[in-house]
Amino acid sequence: MRTFTLPKSPEPPDWSTAREELREAMAGAGWPDDLIADAELALHELFVNAWKHGGSSAPVVVVALLGEPTRAHTHALRTLRVSVADDSPALPEQRSSADPYELSGRGLHLVRSLTHRFGAAPRKHGGKSVWFELDSAA
């Protein structure tokens, strides 16, 4: 599991470190390029939402690969779980319909279409964590 916090800034944060860590973890574990691309895009949505709507100039990103295959079970199901934490206690609400002509509001629809599961939960010490999971057979 990798956890990292980016430096605080009044400008939109650079998410390249989070993207590189995600790509490195997935590629190192043998995940296919198409799932890596899906995870990167979903991470980007959550990261930007944490900055834009969550009031966090430095979202905390946690990338975890669960269920690593063993020698005996090389085709075991693996799960990638990515969570992005921000300082706002307000849980995200997915809009019932995303107007294709609006400038925003389609992010959670995109995350839902790219991942197997996603959700949000309050954090013990304030704020929230928004997460997604992807499954892949090894």
Side-chain angles (χ1 to χ4, degrees), residues 79-127:
T79 299
L80 167 76
R81 183 178 176 100
V82 175
S83 63
V84 179
D86 62 48
D87 299 327
S88 172
L91 297 178
E93 292 183 26
Q94 186 170 337
R95 294 184 185 174
S96 58
S97 64
D99 183 344
Y101 299 106
E102 287 193 35
L103 296 177
S104 65
R106 295 180 301 278
L108 292 180
H109 289 282
L110 182 62
V111 172
R112 172 175 276 160
S113 70
L114 292 170
T115 65
H116 293 111
R117 292 166 297 285
F118 82 98
R123 295 173 61 200
K124 279 185 181 181
H125 303 291

Side-chain angles (χ1 to χ4, degrees), residues 1-4 20-22 24-25 61-64:
M1 181 179 340
R2 300 170 187 206
T3 303
F4 42 94
E20 290 167 11
E21 290 287 334
L22 174 68
E24 181 181 303
V61 178
V62 176
V63 174

Side-chain angles (χ1 to χ4, degrees), residues 37-90:
D38 289 350
E40 286 178 322
L41 186 52
L43 169 59
H44 185 259
E45 279 300 320
L46 296 187
F47 193 85
V48 169
N49 284 349
W51 171 75
K52 187 175 182 181
H53 304 293
S56 181
S57 60
V60 176
V61 178
V62 176
V63 174
L65 288 171
L66 310 170
E68 288 295 320
T70 63
R71 288 184 188 159
H73 299 94
T74 57
H75 296 289
L77 182 68
R78 292 182 295 172
T79 299
L80 167 76
R81 183 178 176 100
V82 175
S83 63
V84 179
D86 62 48
D87 299 327
S88 172

